[in-house]
Amino acid sequence: MRETADEPKREAGPAAPPPRKRRGLRLSMFPTMLTLGNLVCGVLAISYVADASALFAVNETVKAAGLIVDAGWLVLLGMVFDALDGRVARLTRSTTNFGGALDSLSDLVTFGVAPALIAKTIAERTLGAPNARMAFVTAAFFAVCAALRLARYNAEHEEPDQAVQHFNGLPTPGAAGVIAGLAIAHDSLLRHWPLDERGRVIAGGVLLYVLAIGLGLAMVSRVPYIHFANRYLSGRRPIGSIALLVLVVVLVLQFEFAYVAAGGFLAYAISGPIGVIPRLVRGKREEVVPELFE
């Protein structure tokens, strides 16, 4: 009788955990939803670029330029989702290989394909670049470099919640931010500094192509770039980080946000080579990422 009386007690014990499992499952959905938000931003940006191309074809240039600007904002919004999903995953202890793979796929769309199409459309439609084949090759090169950059990062960082202090190569959001900032600011820039036909061709056929190709090469390079979020925004906030934040706020209030965003991302993109070149000149290769020379 004692054995039969004890059995229901042993069976009743394990019935408590399921609510905690369901709660954990609900918490793990938040990072996934943020990652999917990043993906939706990329898809919508591509859709806006396609609509802008159609409007350019019927000479609706004002509406088309507005859609290009909106596409740039969507890429920046995707960065917000991309920055949040990893942190939320660590807070909820729900980092998984599935989440890392989904994040890379979303990044490829938002920070690879969408910026490439934005740059192609600006070069062809707004700046009037005559060589459509070169515009396509440049856009494809940027997207391919973004894919290679993301694949290499996944291969070198097997743990999804691994925190890093620097990147080897320009991160895809950094490269996409330059194109997105240009998309947001280009209409205003053309109104303030109008270009003649020759100036537009030079800007579209040379400067924009060189910029996109340079960003692609920076992504697949081994040039070290600082991870600002892990370096300056985690843990205790040193006085330098606070001063940098105040400077950014002042610049945003003083100038248009589009100019600040475009200039900030461009400065970050060139910060890697600028940091490496002086050390190479001084012969201090050991201070640079060793793989840069392999």
Side-chain angles (χ1 to χ4, degrees):
M1 292 296 293
R2 266 191 236 120
E3 293 179 357
T4 56
D6 291 340
E7 287 177 359
K9 294 181 181 179
R10 289 196 299 268
E11 292 177 358
R20 290 197 297 270
K21 291 182 179 180
R22 287 195 295 269
R23 184 178 61 183
L25 179 61
R26 287 196 298 270
L27 290 176
S28 67
M29 290 176 61
F30 285 106
T32 301
M33 296 303 295
L34 290 170
T35 303
L36 292 178
N38 175 21
L39 177 61
V40 170
C41 287
V43 173
L44 192 55
I46 294 172
S47 175
Y48 278 10
V49 172
D51 293 342
S53 297
L55 289 173
F56 277 122
V58 295
N59 294 323
E60 294 284 350
T61 56
V62 176
K63 293 181 179 178
L67 288 176
I68 295 295
V69 172
D70 292 341
W73 282 113
L74 282 167
V75 172
L76 294 185
L77 180 60
M79 293 183 192
V80 176
F81 285 116
D82 184 57
L84 290 175
D85 61 0
R87 292 185 176 275
V88 172
R90 286 190 287 271
L91 287 174
T92 58
R93 298 180 180 179
S94 55
T95 55
T96 61
N97 291 328
F98 170 81
L102 182 62
D103 182 72
S104 294
L105 292 173
S106 301
D107 288 352
L108 179 58
V109 174
T110 306
F111 308 137
V113 179
L117 294 178
I118 289 174
K120 178 178 182 294
T121 304
I122 292 176
E124 288 182 335
R125 301 295 187 175
T126 303
L127 300 177
N131 195 334
R133 181 175 298 177
M134 185 61 187
F136 168 78
V137 170
T138 303
F141 179 80
F142 182 94
V144 167
C145 289
L148 293 174
R149 171 70 177 80
L150 291 166
R152 186 182 70 189
Y153 182 84
N154 286 342
E156 294 177 350
H157 299 80
E158 296 180 357
E159 297 182 8
D161 60 343
Q162 184 176 358
V164 296
Q165 295 298 318
H166 73 272
F167 298 105
N168 293 335
L170 177 63
T172 52
V178 178
I179 303 299
L182 178 62
I184 297 171
H186 85 283
D187 193 45
S188 177
L189 287 172
L190 290 177
R191 286 199 305 268
H192 286 86
W193 295 286
L195 300 174
D196 56 15
E197 184 177 353
R198 183 172 179 272
R200 285 173 177 262
V201 171
I202 292 175
V206 178
L207 297 180
L208 189 55
Y209 293 156
V210 170
L211 177 64
I213 292 173
L215 292 172
L217 292 175
M219 283 190 284
V220 298
S221 73
R222 290 285 186 174
V223 175
Y225 283 85
I226 295 175
H227 192 311
F228 273 101
N230 289 345
R231 184 76 176 270
Y232 298 110
L233 300 180
S234 60
R236 294 183 178 180
R237 306 295 188 272
I239 188 66
S241 300
I242 298 175
L244 180 62
L245 180 61
V246 172
L247 176 61
V248 171
V249 172
V250 170
L251 290 175
V252 170
L253 294 176
Q254 185 69 25
F255 304 99
E256 291 187 25
F257 176 80
Y259 297 157
V260 177
F265 281 111
L266 183 60
Y268 180 68
I270 64 177
S271 66
I274 288 178
V276 169
I277 291 173
R279 286 177 284 178
L280 295 180
V281 172
R282 295 196 302 267
K284 296 183 178 181
R285 293 190 175 188
E286 66 277 2
E287 296 181 3
V288 186
V289 177
E291 291 82 355
L292 183 65
F293 305 100
E294 291 184 356

